[in-house]
Amino acid sequence: MSLTRRDFLGAGAAVAAGAALARPAAAAITVVERAAPPAAAAGAARALPAVVASDNGIRGVAKAYEMLRQGADPLDAALAGVNIQELDPEDQSVGLGGLPNAEGVVQLDASCMHGPSKRAGSVAALEGIATPSLVAKAVMEHTDHIMLVGADAKRFALLMGFEEQNLLTEKSRQAWLRWRSRLNPDDAWLDPQDPPAPATPPRDGAKELTYDAHGVPHTYGTINMCAVDAKGDIGSVTTTSGLAWKIPGRIGDSPIIGAGQYCDNAVGAAGSTGRGEANIKVCGAFLAVEFMRQGMSPEQALIKVMERVLAMTEPRLLNERGRPYFDLQFYAIAKDGRVAGASAYEGTRYAVADAQGARHADAVYLFKATERPGASSASGLIPRR
């Protein structure tokens, strides 16, 4: 069925921050034509500029906000924010030191959009370059294309002057060896004799890394950041090392324009972290921006996207009560500076910076933390203990 704008607003208004909602029935989506910016929706506008990001972006939003105050372009500010994590070897969810694929090779993905120019760039399965977000911007600025992948993305980056380096740190290499040795008790790889690594989350990324019972880290990777400058211009970027121990060549949502991030200068921007396969099927970032165009607040829009994700999730990834075995988070910012974060489960935070400073805020959610199911054997799910 088609839903009217009144239907959307009525449904969205019923969502309060932290409210636990039942899994919705599937519904068709009607997207309005591009026109004037939407009328003011629920929630107070913030003083511009403003920046929103995943929780591991707390240092990044502070950097981006300061750049915006000094007149920087919103995409340049967001890129500078995520570069902090890309170049931090202690953050194993993105860039240098990111957890590798099943063969021990770090493969990175990123995409970005520039609201004022309506341009975008993306790279996927990029090896040997620590800042895929900047390579994505180079694709946007220097080519008529939007996405480059694999060895050709690397060749392009080198032509653009990016420096090749070994992205596999000793810390991540040891984690890969621990993971590899546990795959098959009957193979020639000996299980490690040292005690499991402590389940200590990475700095500024508490939700980005979890450990199984053997001390093996697992992550979906990723940092998303969206920025609005004092003029209301918008930029967005998502960058990741992807799912830990993935099949080589696997691409998640981060480099997919409209899934991992999306930006429309007349409305706002949105992005995601978590299980990319679940997001790709609903084009979540694009859908969030379209909901905001129809008058929803960022918070209402993200909850509706989360509902749509669950409606499109195959049964093997849900328990008997319809609760997902995976994590997925969304972040959004409206043109007037309103921000939000949303997740399937209670307990997720996101980073925001505006005139009140850089800080973490609690995301809205569909289900209480106590409703999270135990570990599943389904491929690509973060194990918990």
Side-chain angles (χ1 to χ4, degrees), residues 251-275:
I251 303 299
D253 60 334
S254 296
I256 307 299
I257 306 299
Q261 58 82 33
Y262 188 75
C263 168
D264 187 316
N265 215 49
V267 181
S272 68
T273 61
R275 181 176 168 82

Side-chain angles (χ1 to χ4, degrees), residues 24-154:
I29 305 298
T30 298
V31 177
V32 300
E33 295 296 325
R34 295 183 181 274
R46 298 174 182 267
L48 296 176
V51 189
V52 68
S54 46
D55 69 341
N56 57 339
I58 188 64
R59 293 179 294 169
V61 295
K63 171 70 173 179
Y65 178 75
E66 186 57 33
M67 290 179 63
L68 291 173
R69 287 188 63 232
Q70 297 174 13
D73 177 86
L75 179 55
D76 288 341
L79 286 166
V82 301
N83 290 162
I84 293 174
Q85 299 307 118
E86 286 180 320
L87 296 173
D88 183 355
E90 294 302 311
D91 187 336
Q92 293 179 284
S93 71
V94 60
L96 177 64
L99 293 177
N101 64 22
E103 294 183 353
V105 177
V106 179
Q107 292 183 318
L108 306 179
D109 312 319
S111 66
C112 64
M113 291 191 74
H114 186 242
S117 66
K118 302 179 181 178
R119 300 187 69 184
S122 171
V123 292
L126 177 66
E127 299 177 10
I129 308 295
T131 53
S133 65
L134 296 180
V135 182
K137 185 192 179 192
V139 173
M140 180 188 80
E141 291 184 328
H142 297 285
T143 80
D144 187 43
H145 307 321
I146 286 183
M147 176 180 282
L148 296 178
V149 302
D152 291 309
K154 179 179 179 179

Side-chain angles (χ1 to χ4, degrees), residues 170-184:
E170 180 62 17
K171 182 178 180 180
S172 290
R173 189 181 72 84
Q174 290 295 331
W176 175 76
L177 288 173
R178 181 179 295 279
W179 170 81
R180 180 63 184 82
S181 69
R182 296 285 183 178
L183 288 181
N184 183 349

Side-chain angles (χ1 to χ4, degrees), residues 208-239:
E208 301 302 323
L209 209 67
T210 59
Y211 291 80
D212 65 20
H214 301 294
V216 176
H218 295 259
T219 182
Y220 288 117
T222 316
I223 177 172
N224 165 253
M225 191 170 296
C226 304
V228 180
D229 68 13
K231 298 179 295 183
D233 286 335
I234 308 167
S236 58
V237 58
T238 297
T239 178

Side-chain angles (χ1 to χ4, degrees), residues 290-309:
E290 289 305 312
F291 281 144
M292 290 193 290
R293 186 194 310 282
Q294 297 188 28
M296 288 189 184
S297 68
E299 184 176 282
Q300 293 166 348
L302 296 185
I303 283 292
K304 292 298 291 184
V305 173
M306 285 301 310
E307 291 176 346
R308 188 64 182 164
V309 167

